[in-house]
Amino acid sequence: MRSFVRVTLTVLAFTVAALALPVTLGAVTLSASFENRYTQRTDGIAPPPVHKAHDPAKPTAVVVVGNEGAVVSDALAPYEVLAASGAFNVYTVAPLARPVTLTGGLDLIPDLGFADLDRLLSAAAPDVVVVPALPDLGEPTTRPVTDWLRRQSSRGSLLMSVCNGSGVLASAGLLDGRKATAHWIRIGGFEDEFPAVDWIRGTRYVDDGNIVTTAGILSGIDGALRVTERFAGTETARKAAEAVGWTHYSPGSSPPMTQNSFEAADTVVGFNTAFRWDKPMLGVLLTSGIRELELAAVFDTYGQSLAVETTAVGLDGAPILSRHGLTFAPRGTPVPEDRLVVPGADAAASHAADRFSALSPVYLHAAPGFPFDAVLEDLVRTTDTATTRWTARTLEYGTEHLALDGEAWPWTVTLRPFGLAVLGLLVAFGIRALYRVIRRTSPTGRRGVTAPGKP
């Protein structure tokens, strides 16, 4: 019995030794992977947004972001669709008009705070409120947003959530007794957390009267086109879809969509988040006139991959104005990062980054196409197929038309936890061997040897 206990304890000790390094280092890297998606700037820079002309004859649509930021495509994709339609006054709003960080480290200067919007509309409610996924869902910091959403809903605004923005509406009690949808990764959790909501799978959006909810990330484009239909008609929505390069517009109804679910290959995200501690850093050059979707494509595609980190840089570090009037503040100028990528068709045509030729800038949108296509193709070249297909499924974007051929799997990253486990075992064996040597050579440890001073 004593021998069995000794063997069991030995096996347990070596198991702990094998797991200690991969679990500890993996947990640290995992935490950093998600924290870095919303790393707030600390330099205190807060440039004012550019004033936009307001047309009182048009309905007003606002994209609301929290004080802690939002998912970049959830905010920018519907913004560009609504702005490109020409049918709305479109603004970004936040509880306070100060810089907020969108996923990937893109700093947005909201057009208006809630109080500013009230003054602009003479205390009337905006016609449309778009709600992206917020990083602090369920936390007290969302209270200013959820309270404000309840007021706008009671005053007649049409609310449209994007992706897990439906969780924000549900937490405000605005979806109770209604049909809604959400990102495929979170919808199961929402069913448990918000049982009063009738959660619908396998659709890009659910139109339930004065609330429209959309599925994951790029489904927000379909939701914004539906909202455009309702306010300005099908032809205006069709032209908006053409203007942003979205070929999946389905007039009057939600396009068909296969409901995603977790697959075996999705384990790649675990390796990327826990063991890719040497993620390449991309400097993303912001240039004036860039489309909002071109920005979203870069920061969200690389960000959702969890295999690459991004930082926003500028030609001179000054704020830039996007195609439809949003203000973004870079965090500096290009330095010898691992890579410098330059989004935007206009930037490619003007060779905007040629002054940084020593960094070999990559112009992502030199060829025509939907902005996410080129970024996904760059991702597969620089990471692997499994990571890229995971990213596309997270974005809820079909890739059948893309040639996503590259290394099949991140084998080097995958082998790291096993290498750490072997290292832990070697250390444990070394400690055990050292202990045995010390025990064998010490006077009190030798069998049959009487310790000094004892009869």
Side-chain angles (χ1 to χ4, degrees):
M1 181 65 181
R2 186 176 297 173
S3 176
F4 173 77
V5 171
R6 186 184 303 117
V7 170
T8 301
L9 290 176
T10 301
V11 170
L12 181 61
F14 280 111
T15 300
V16 170
L19 294 176
L21 280 176
V23 169
T24 302
L25 292 179
V28 171
T29 309
L30 180 69
S31 176
S33 294
F34 289 100
E35 287 179 0
N36 289 344
R37 299 189 72 213
Y38 290 94
T39 303
Q40 302 290 326
R41 67 187 304 153
T42 58
D43 55 16
I45 293 177
V50 173
H51 175 73
K52 297 178 182 178
H54 182 80
D55 184 351
K58 291 181 178 180
T60 294
V62 299
V63 179
V64 59
V65 294
N67 286 330
E68 303 300 315
V71 171
V72 61
S73 291
D74 290 6
L76 299 190
Y79 179 93
E80 179 168 334
V81 171
L82 296 172
S85 74
F88 302 89
N89 300 298
V90 191
Y91 304 97
T92 53
V93 299
L96 301 172
R98 61 173 178 78
V100 296
T101 302
L102 307 180
T103 42
L106 179 62
D107 295 309
L108 166 71
I109 315 303
D111 295 311
L112 303 164
F114 289 163
D116 302 319
L117 181 66
D118 277 345
R119 286 191 289 271
L120 178 68
L121 300 181
S122 300
D127 299 276
V128 177
V129 177
V130 178
V131 185
L134 304 181
D136 50 344
L137 174 62
E139 300 295 328
T141 49
T142 62
R143 182 75 180 270
V145 173
T146 52
D147 287 350
W148 184 81
L149 289 172
R150 290 190 196 96
R151 290 196 298 273
Q152 308 321 304
S153 179
S154 67
R155 297 161 70 194
S157 294
L158 185 153
L159 306 182
M160 179 191 128
S161 69
V162 183
C163 189
N164 296 326
S166 56
V168 180
L169 295 182
S171 68
L174 294 169
L175 295 183
D176 288 356
R178 310 187 71 142
K179 297 181 185 297
T181 192
H183 196 287
W184 63 271
I185 292 177
R186 290 292 301 275
I187 194 168
F190 284 166
E191 285 177 325
D192 295 334
E193 190 174 358
F194 306 110
V197 182
D198 183 8
W199 296 101
I200 306 297
R201 288 173 162 81
T203 183
R204 296 193 76 87
Y205 68 78
V206 171
D207 185 341
D208 191 18
N210 65 335
I211 296 182
V212 176
T213 56
T214 82
I217 304 183
L218 290 181
S219 295
I221 294 177
D222 299 289
L225 290 170
R226 175 59 176 162
V227 168
T228 303
E229 281 181 353
R230 290 182 52 174
F231 278 84
T234 300
E235 188 57 30
T236 299
R238 190 189 310 277
K239 290 179 179 177
E242 292 174 356
V244 303
W246 190 247
T247 60
H248 312 289
Y249 173 51
S250 177
S253 63
S254 174
M257 181 180 74
T258 301
Q259 179 70 19
N260 283 317
S261 59
F262 283 104
E263 301 174 355
D266 293 339
T267 54
V268 70
V269 75
F271 291 104
N272 283 337
T273 52
F275 301 106
R276 198 186 282 266
W277 51 71
D278 54 350
K279 293 181 177 71
M281 174 62 76
L282 300 186
V284 182
L285 190 69
L286 310 187
T287 53
S288 293
I290 190 170
R291 288 175 52 192
E292 294 79 14
L293 270 166
E294 291 169 336
L295 280 174
V298 174
F299 285 97
D300 225 357
T301 301
Y302 295 123
Q304 295 294 342
S305 76
L306 295 169
V308 180
E309 292 183 1
T310 50
T311 185
V313 296
L315 292 170
D316 54 11
I320 67 103
L321 198 64
S322 69
R323 174 75 58 85
H324 298 100
L326 290 181
T327 303
F328 297 96
R331 298 195 176 189
T333 55
V335 296
E337 310 284 355
D338 289 357
R339 296 178 73 209
L340 177 65
V341 296
V342 188
D346 289 351
S350 64
H351 298 279
D354 280 4
R355 71 177 74 172
F356 305 110
S357 58
L359 301 179
S360 300
V362 178
Y363 291 100
L364 291 169
H365 297 120
F370 186 63
F372 281 75
D373 292 352
V375 187
L376 284 165
E377 289 173 343
D378 181 72
L379 182 66
V380 78
R381 286 192 298 268
T382 53
T383 58
D384 55 85
T385 302
T387 294
T388 305
R389 294 197 181 282
W390 154 265
T391 302
R393 292 188 337 107
T394 303
L395 295 168
E396 291 201 347
Y397 183 59
T399 58
E400 298 80 7
H401 61 296
L402 301 178
L404 299 183
D405 299 320
E407 183 181 352
W409 188 266
W411 294 111
T412 301
V413 175
T414 303
L415 290 174
R416 286 175 177 174
F418 299 101
L420 290 170
V422 170
L423 179 60
L425 285 173
L426 290 175
V427 170
F429 278 118
I431 292 173
R432 187 188 190 200
L434 181 61
Y435 170 75
R436 285 182 169 179
V437 168
I438 293 173
R439 187 179 179 199
R440 189 167 53 247
T441 58
S442 68
T444 57
R446 292 195 214 129
R447 293 188 182 185
V449 177
T450 303
K454 297 290 184 181

